[in-house]
Amino acid sequence: MRVATSLLATLALVASTVMAGPRPSDTIVINKKVLQTSKVPFIPHNGTALFTNWVGLNVDFKYVQPIFDLVNATHSLSNGTLLSRGESHVTVILPPEYDNILHPAGVTIDELNALASHNNRLQRAKFEIECLGRVQVVSKPDNAFQQAVQIILKNFGDIVAYREDVYKLFVKKGGNPALFDPWNFTPHITLGYKIRDIFVEDGVFKGKNACIHKMVAK
């Protein structure tokens, strides 16, 4: 009887730990190989519909998925409500930036892809992990609660350097410099979202301001 009682108590402790997830004092650890993006291919994103042209830094999902699973199983972080795309990337040129700013000035997606893929430039970009981030908002006009969880990045100078070269190309083609800011950029890796991903257009910013938990690559 004592053995059975002890076993039940142990199982309850394990279950409560899983539901609670990492404590605030804990640091979430992601495999440092996630930073080795030069080992995965650059993937062009071309399309004919609105918001289907963009530039991304491809990230190996097999190192990101365990973090998604941990977050999605943690009551305080998502409680199993997150949806995953099944892939991971850092968006470097956003679809609205291309459709609304760059393309009207004559910058083509082929030019952006060529700039990114030359000498595997974008995939070789260095960056580090800042934290686990989360953004929440009630979207309009549907008044739906939206939530997205992401890995926030830091020390991403190589990525900004690419955006600076895009800016130079944009200005060279006659684009208005005031419309494209290569430094106004908050790179992150989306883990998942509740209904749909949410963006600055929804009123959220996915920078260090959105950090909710310590994270490190080891």
Side-chain angles (χ1 to χ4, degrees), residues 17-201:
T17 301
V18 171
M19 287 301 294
R23 297 169 298 179
S25 59
D26 293 338
T27 297
I28 296 175
V29 177
I30 187 170
N31 192 314
K32 65 182 179 181
K33 291 182 179 180
V34 73
L35 305 177
Q36 299 175 2
T37 52
S38 62
K39 295 186 177 182
V40 292
F42 172 74
I43 300 176
H45 300 279
N46 304 2
T48 56
L50 191 66
F51 297 161
T52 57
N53 292 280
W54 52 282
V55 178
L57 169 59
N58 189 21
V59 177
D60 197 331
F61 183 64
K62 70 171 173 281
Y63 302 117
V64 175
Q65 184 168 7
I67 306 302
F68 169 81
D69 293 340
L70 172 66
V71 168
N72 213 25
T74 301
H75 179 76
S76 62
L77 297 178
S78 72
N79 198 24
T81 63
L82 295 182
L83 303 173
S84 169
R85 293 192 181 104
E87 57 84 27
S88 49
H89 64 270
V90 180
T91 304
V92 178
I93 298 295
L94 283 66
E97 287 182 318
Y98 180 78
D99 287 338
N100 300 333
I101 302 170
L102 300 174
H103 185 57
V107 178
T108 69
I109 192 64
D110 289 338
E111 288 175 312
L112 298 183
N113 288 337
L115 189 62
S117 60
H118 180 66
N119 291 329
N120 205 30
R121 173 193 182 167
L122 193 55
Q123 288 301 132
R124 290 190 294 108
K126 303 297 183 184
F127 60 88
E128 296 177 359
I129 305 299
E130 175 73 65
C131 67
L132 179 73
R134 180 176 62 194
V135 289
Q136 299 171 324
V137 72
V138 176
S139 60
K140 303 296 182 182
D142 52 352
N143 289 322
F145 173 73
Q146 307 280 359
Q147 172 173 275
V149 180
Q150 53 283 139
I151 299 171
I152 307 294
L153 307 185
K154 65 179 180 180
N155 298 333
F156 44 83
D158 290 348
I159 303 177
V160 172
Y162 169 82
R163 285 178 57 88
E164 288 174 336
D165 284 349
V166 171
Y167 171 79
K168 293 174 185 176
L169 177 63
F170 169 67
V171 173
K172 183 179 179 180
K173 286 178 175 276
N176 180 351
L179 298 182
F180 181 75
D181 184 357
W183 307 282
N184 183 18
F185 180 57
T186 53
H188 58 274
I189 302 168
T190 296
L191 289 175
Y193 42 84
K194 183 174 175 64
I195 300 174
R196 62 169 175 83
D197 203 356
I198 47 181
F199 309 96
V200 65
E201 290 82 4

